[in-house]
């Protein structure tokens, strides 16, 4: 039971990270291979805002969102925009190169040391009917769930969200109706990295922070996007939860050191039997 | 002159497909753009929307040069383009598709009014408001695409092969709808491969062959023209 709860909580965080990736992919068919590095940047942003200004990660969430959103919009205007019409391999190299660049730069600036936020506001444990859950883990999951709901509401219910969907379904048709696709793409990057910012901020209360921290998370996010159906945001929620549960239960029932393996076993099963993912669009 | 295209050349990368074409549409007029498959009809419309930018020549709308105006700003000045093969947003509902047609601020303000008018022209769409566009028949999707174009309150409606794949019944409905639209003061420029059908509707026609304008004029003159027959029948 303990494992189910902690898997579920972790799953909600994966879901939000994956939705950011999925949103960007659905919008312009570009895979952000630097997604994990963006998550790492978000965690470092939380860390430095704490270390230098004494702001708790919870308090600095809006600042981290702003930093990452600006980072996302800049990524679109200075890099992605130029490879939109290029071959897929060029696009892969662009975001993969960006990932390596960000990671190396982080190692250079901040060294590969493990850091953590000492004495965060969220700490300790809470108890539900005999099950103990870390306070920061619990809060992180809840915040990510609400962020996810907010994103889903924005994309499916607001005027701008509909324009975003229109652009993702047919860029030219949207453009002739007056929807500026370039702005929509920038918005997609801003939102996508905004999701990552929230997840990263929340995790910085209880995770070690180092330049390679994003790698596993981005792998899980890719699996979640493939599992959930490329471009589907709701699919990311289910897929994220499944991954969290498999990781946690697999580690408990068999052997913790293989838990990554179970997640990829699921991935392979989905790729073989249902390559379009389990869910449709949005 | 509402739309005045003069001597445009259009290239895809360095492959030229349009040579020195001129074409115009007057206010309140229905004009047909004719030509066999691959002659460049869609390219002319796409150039008018700036989905592709002409290499040479000028495009004026209401007397103003618009060659450099980005695609997304053209609905605002009064150009609506219904793309070839309908291109409705498949995973959005009929109403969401229509609302997106009124995206620029002026059209957005009038959205309810426009919607009422459009439901009078296309009563079927009002019963299907909440249905996903992808679940509609080809004819219904064509109606939706045209209705969506009208939601932008255009002065000029450009429609690319509206009758493609429609049953004779639906074709007849659509012809009446086109007449209705023009009577409401909106000009139409449409692409069609069926010469007889197109010239029976339009006041004037322009005929393309391999990217060049071969003949243009009043429909009644074109309908019996040997040149038009040669382009379409090859003799
Ligand atoms: N996106 C494109 N890239 C390259 N060539 C194109 C493209 N679209 C059309 N063409 C070429 O331009 C010519 C005119 O095409 P098009 O305007 O679609 O003709 P039509 O609409 O009259 O059938 C054709 O030779 C076609 O192959
Ligand atoms: Mg065509």
């Amino acid at each position: 039971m303990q494992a189910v709860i902690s898997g579920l909580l972790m799953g909600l965080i994966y879901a939000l990270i994956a939705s950011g990736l999925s949103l960007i992919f659905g919008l312009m068919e570009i895979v952000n291979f630097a997604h994990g590095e963006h998550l790492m940047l978000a965690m470092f942003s939380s860390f430095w805002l704490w270390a230098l200004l004494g702001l708790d990660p919870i308090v600095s969430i809006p600042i981290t969102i702003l930093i990452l959103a600006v980072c996302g919009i800049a990524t679109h205007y200075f890099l992605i925009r130029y490879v939109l019409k290029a071959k897929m391999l060029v696009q892969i190299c662009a975001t993969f190169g960006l990932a390596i660049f960000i990671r190396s730069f982080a190692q250079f600036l901040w060294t590969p040391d493990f850091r953590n936020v000492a004495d965060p506001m969220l700490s300790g444990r809470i108890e539900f009917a005999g099950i103990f859950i870390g306070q920061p883990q619990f809060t992180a999951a809840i915040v990510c769930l609400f962020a996810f709901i907010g994103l889903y509401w924005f994309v499916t219910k607001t005027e701008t969200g509909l324009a975003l969907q229109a652009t993702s379904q047919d860029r030219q048709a949207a453009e002739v109706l007056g929807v500026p696709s370039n702005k929509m793409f920038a918005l997609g990057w801003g939102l996508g990295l905004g999701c990552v910012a929230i997840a990263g901020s929340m995790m910085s209360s209880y995770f070690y922070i180092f330049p390679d921290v994003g790698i596993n998370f981005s792998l899980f996010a890719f699996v979640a996007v493939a599992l959930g159906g490329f471009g589907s945001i709701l699919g990311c929620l289910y897929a994220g939860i499944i991954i969290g549960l498999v990781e946690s239960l697999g580690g408990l029932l068999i052997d913790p050191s293989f838990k990554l393996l179970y997640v990829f076993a699921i991935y392979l099963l989905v790729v073989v039997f249902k390559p379009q993912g389990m869910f449709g669009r949005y | 002159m509402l739309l005045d295209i003069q001597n445009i050349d259009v290239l895809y990368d360095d492959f030229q497909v349009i040579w020195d074409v001129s074409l115009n549409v007057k206010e309140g007029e229905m004009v047909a753009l004719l030509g066999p498959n691959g002659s460049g009809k869609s390219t002319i419309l796409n150039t008018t929307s700036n989905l592709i930018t002409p290499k040479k020549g000028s495009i004026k709308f209401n007397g103003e040069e618009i060659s450099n105006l980005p695609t997304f700003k053209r609905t605002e000045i009064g150009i609506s383009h219904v793309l070839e093969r309908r291109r409705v947003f498949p995973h959005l509902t009929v109403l969401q598709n229509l609302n997106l047609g009124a995206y620029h601020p002026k059209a957005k303000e009038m959205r309810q009014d426009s919607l009422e008018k459009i439901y009078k022209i296309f009563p079927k769409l009002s019963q299907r408001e909440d249905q996903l566009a992808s679940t509609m028949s080809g004819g219904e999707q064509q109606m939706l695409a045209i209705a969506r174009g009208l939601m932008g309150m255009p002065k000029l409606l450009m429609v690319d092969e509206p009758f493609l794949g429609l049953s004779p019944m639906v074709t007849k409905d659509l012809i009446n709808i086109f007449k209705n639209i023009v009577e409401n003061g909106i000009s139409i420029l449409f692409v069609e491969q069926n010469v007889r059908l197109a010239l029976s509707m339009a006041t004037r026609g322009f005929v393309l062959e391999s990217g060049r304008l071969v003949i243009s004029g009043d429909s009644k003159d074109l309908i019996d023209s040997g040149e038009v027959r040669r382009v379409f029948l090859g003799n």
Side-chain angles (χ1 to χ4, degrees):
Chain A
M1 197 57 203
Q2 184 87 41
V4 172
I5 300 285
S6 66
L8 189 67
L9 295 181
M10 206 57 223
L12 291 172
I13 298 175
Y14 293 151
L16 185 64
I17 299 174
S19 334
L21 188 66
S22 192
L23 186 79
I24 293 169
F25 179 80
L27 198 56
M28 50 190 115
E29 312 231 315
I30 282 186
V31 178
N32 179 21
F33 282 104
H35 211 59
E37 281 61 38
H38 287 127
L39 183 72
M40 177 267 289
L41 285 183
M43 291 172 85
F44 266 106
S45 154
S46 285
F47 174 79
W48 287 116
L49 287 167
W50 167 79
L52 300 177
L53 302 177
L55 296 175
D56 188 85
I58 287 271
V59 178
S60 66
I61 286 185
I63 307 177
T64 299
I65 292 180
L66 194 70
I67 293 175
L68 267 286
V70 168
C71 179
I73 292 167
T75 306
H76 174 66
Y77 276 109
F78 295 116
L79 179 67
I80 305 302
R81 194 153 64 100
Y82 300 103
V83 300
L84 265 180
K85 286 186 186 141
K87 297 213 164 61
M88 196 163 91
L89 200 60
V90 177
Q91 299 176 338
I92 291 176
C93 289
T95 62
F96 206 77
L98 180 67
I100 292 170
F101 173 78
I102 295 176
R103 215 184 307 151
S104 318
F105 205 63
Q107 279 172 357
F108 170 73
L109 278 182
W110 304 319
T111 75
D113 289 352
F114 283 49
R115 301 163 196 263
N116 67 315
V117 174
D119 229 352
M121 255 152 81
L122 292 171
S123 60
R125 308 178 134 213
I126 46 178
E127 190 199 337
F128 282 126
I131 297 170
F132 289 92
I133 306 165
Q135 170 78 30
Q137 285 86 339
F138 179 73
T139 314
I142 297 301
V143 168
C144 286
L145 178 62
F146 275 103
F148 178 89
I149 294 170
L151 177 73
Y152 187 71
W153 173 82
F154 176 80
V155 170
T156 55
K157 292 289 185 294
T158 67
E159 189 92 10
T160 313
L162 284 181
L164 205 68
Q165 286 194 58
T167 303
S168 98
Q169 289 172 29
D170 192 330
R171 188 184 310 174
Q172 279 192 338
E175 188 96 12
V176 295
L177 296 179
V179 181
S181 42
N182 208 29
K183 277 196 188 129
M184 289 297 139
F185 292 156
L187 174 67
W189 277 91
L191 284 173
L193 295 204
C195 293
V196 158
I198 294 172
S201 295
M202 293 312 293
M203 287 195 300
S204 61
S205 288
Y206 62 103
F207 264 90
Y208 281 111
I209 300 161
F210 54 101
D212 286 350
V213 66
I215 295 176
N216 275 355
F217 286 101
S218 68
L219 286 177
F220 282 10
F222 294 138
V223 176
V225 170
L227 212 58
F230 293 90
S232 161
I233 294 180
L234 209 52
C236 284
L237 180 64
Y238 304 124
I241 291 173
I242 291 173
I243 292 170
L245 288 175
V246 167
E247 181 195 25
S248 156
L249 291 175
L252 180 75
L253 299 177
I254 319 177
D255 184 336
S257 52
F258 286 136
K259 60 186 187 181
L260 267 180
L261 200 64
Y262 309 134
V263 172
F264 283 103
I266 295 211
Y267 174 68
L268 288 179
L269 284 177
V270 168
V271 168
V272 171
F273 292 107
K274 210 148 188 308
Q276 74 277 33
M278 300 184 298
F279 306 94
R281 282 184 102 90
Y282 299 103
Chain B
M1 208 62 85
L2 187 60
L3 175 69
D4 195 2
I5 300 178
Q6 276 181 13
N7 311 99
I8 55 167
D9 282 356
V10 183
L11 289 75
Y12 287 106
D13 299 319
D14 35 355
F15 179 64
Q16 184 159 1
V17 297
I18 297 294
W19 279 268
D20 201 37
V21 169
S22 300
L23 177 158
N24 55 61
V25 180
K26 297 185 192 116
E27 251 145 273
E29 191 184 29
M30 176 146 37
V31 172
L33 180 53
L34 300 157
N37 231 332
S39 57
K41 305 180 297 297
S42 297
T43 302
I44 296 279
L45 295 199
N46 291 347
T47 310
T48 310
S49 299
N50 208 4
L51 288 170
I52 177 159
T53 309
K55 171 111 186 292
K56 185 185 131 275
S58 98
I59 301 178
K60 288 203 178 89
F61 190 72
N62 259 335
E64 267 179 66
E65 180 63 44
I66 57 162
S67 308
N68 292 316
L69 193 69
T71 302
F72 72 88
K73 287 198 176 140
R74 297 194 176 210
T75 42
E76 208 163 340
I77 62 167
I79 302 176
S80 277
H81 183 177
V82 180
L83 298 167
E84 195 172 7
R85 300 189 187 284
R86 333 188 198 299
R87 307 276 287 267
V88 295
F89 302 117
H91 309 285
L92 295 181
T93 66
V94 167
L95 183 60
Q96 286 172 329
N97 266 279
L98 289 173
N99 281 338
L100 278 161
Y103 193 76
H104 65 85
K106 256 187 293 169
K108 205 172 279 184
E109 212 171 279
M110 301 295 291
R111 197 179 265 175
Q112 281 316 316
D113 272 16
S114 309
L115 213 49
E116 262 171 48
K117 276 189 211 155
I118 273 160
Y119 284 160
K120 276 200 195 105
I121 309 175
F122 305 95
K124 241 191 196 153
L125 294 181
S126 79
Q127 302 151 17
R128 305 262 174 128
E129 266 192 350
D130 298 320
Q131 196 174 325
L132 285 186
S134 60
T135 62
M136 302 212 300
S137 73
E140 288 163 353
Q141 289 189 20
Q142 186 60 267
M143 300 291 180
L144 175 57
I146 292 168
R148 186 177 67 179
L150 289 172
M151 287 293 288
M153 307 200 304
K155 298 189 188 90
L156 172 68
L157 182 70
M158 301 194 293
V159 198
D160 201 337
E161 306 223 18
F163 302 105
L164 196 73
L166 300 191
S167 70
M169 270 273 287
V170 180
T171 301
K172 223 160 123 196
D173 282 352
L174 194 54
I175 292 171
N176 287 327
I177 286 169
F178 272 31
K179 282 182 185 148
N180 187 338
I181 292 170
V182 171
E183 275 161 19
N184 278 295
I186 299 169
S187 306
I188 294 181
L189 171 62
F190 72 104
V191 164
E192 180 50 46
Q193 298 202 35
N194 180 336
V195 186
R196 205 147 280 282
L197 172 71
L199 292 179
S200 70
M201 297 168 61
T203 42
R204 287 188 301 142
F206 291 78
V207 182
L208 286 177
E209 186 185 24
S210 315
R212 291 182 169 85
L213 191 68
V214 287
I215 186 169
S216 64
D218 289 347
S219 296
K220 56 181 187 326
D221 299 332
L222 291 182
I223 218 154
D224 300 316
S225 141
E227 184 70 359
V228 173
R229 211 165 297 146
R230 183 195 60 75
V231 168
F232 283 91
L233 300 175
N235 58 5

